[in-house]
Structure formats: structure tokens, C-alpha cells
Amino acid sequence: MKINILIKGVVCDLTTSENYVSFTLIVNKGYRDNSHTIYIKCFAFKGVGESIVNADVQKGSRLSIVGELKNNHYEKDNVVYNCNTLIVHTWEFCPIVNNQTIIVDCIGNVVADINTNTNRTAGVLSLACNHTTSTGNVLCNFLNFKVFGDMINRLAKAGVNKGKALHLVGDLDRKTYIGKDNKKHIIDEIVLLSFDFVTFTKDDVSGAKEVQTETATLSEPRKVDSRIMKQTTSGKTKNAFIKNESKSKNNGTYIHLDMSGDLPF
């Protein structure tokens, strides 16, 4: 399953080449004292890149993008980066407001039991997301979701542990800290917003999976999921990329984005 993302931001640079278009998206996060800006590197290939050029997207353009996350880990000038780049699948011009939620939507298997602090107010849930390419290679991306407060209790009550298959929705942000190696580290963090158990039934070439919801006991997280996804996938973006939308027993909405098409790398 690919790691899907929905994001809004402002283009601060754009470069074209023979095979793709690349640009950096500025995204405003947080309120007042906690407000900050993060920069997401984006790549658009083939027809998607051509559409961006033909629409005269340039510095200052405001875009809403649905795409796929790719992890990018490297070290440069004594700074360790563990960030994500974005492969654009569809886009449109849009108005921008502050405190943008960067929606990450993925399906995978829990790598280990939830790791929490002593008083169980914060923890980490690690997910392994497999994706089969058109050449038959199986790639695995690992995502760490930050969990806080009542969400930890909900996960425990639902019996989430190592090996469980989950559909997770979170909000991506970027943090900076000094590591034990005395180097500056810049990492992407995802705060968990909602979750559901799923059953894998098929892994097609595009990486999308047909899934079935097993339980519907987590009404509040599912309502959050539905509200955010519907607000941020309006218009032609929603029509183009929502593969299926089914109702659960508690009238929550499960939305699965179909990000079809493999990349040349």
C-alpha cells in the first residue's frame, strides 16, 4: 500500500527537466507561538508534470496536491535528514489558510507493540507499509505515528499490537533536534488522528489494496477521519482519487485513495 498524502501550500521554486517537474511547497503549520513553516520537495512526472507546466504554475502559486510520500534519508553539512518527498498524482489551484493539516493516509502492519513513556501520556506506533512495483519488487516503508493521551487508551482497548493490519490517518509535521551524536536532525513526524483494523485481500500492481473493515468500535476517530478527508478532497480531486467510500456500522466513513501508477524509481 502506498503512503498517500493530501497537502496545501505555496510554490517557492520550480524546475523543469525532460522527464519531470520539481518544486518546493511551503506549508504553514501551527498557531501563534507554535506557528512555523515547513518545506516539502515535490516531483511530478509524465502527464502530471506537463499539466503543471501548461497551467503556468510558478513561484507563489497556491496548490492543493494529492500524492505519495517517499522517504528520503541522508546527511549533508553535518545535518541528518529523515524527511519525505512528495510524488504528485493530482493537483489544483486553491486558496491557502494558515495551520494546514497535512493528511497522511496509509495501510500496513504494526511493527511492534506501542512504545509509550512511563505515565502513558505519549508514545509511538510504528507501521510497515509494503508496496509492489510494476517490476514485481516489494518495497517497504516504515512510518512512526506519534500518539497522545486518550488515543493511547483507545489503541490499547482495541487490542492494537505487533502484527495487526491497520488503516491509519495522521497529520504530518517536521521537527528539528540535536541528537546524541551532537548533530542536527531534521525529521518528519506524524500525529495519529484515526485508525481502523483492516483485512488485506489483494495487492495489485499499483500498490492499492482492497480492504475490509473488521471492527467499527472507534466512532470518534472515524468521524475525525471523515471530516478531514471530505474537507480536503473537495471537487475534482475527490472525484478523481477516491476509490471507494463505504459506511461502517457506526456510520463513520472509510475513505481509501486510489493512487495508481508506478514511478520510474
Side-chain angles (χ1 to χ4, degrees), residues 108-115 124-128 142 155 159-166 197:
N109 293 96
V110 178
V111 176
D113 293 345
I114 303 170
N115 183 21
V124 176
L125 176 63
S126 298
L127 201 73
F142 294 91
L155 290 165
V160 173
N161 52 31
K162 182 178 180 180
K164 293 290 186 179
L166 296 179
F197 292 98

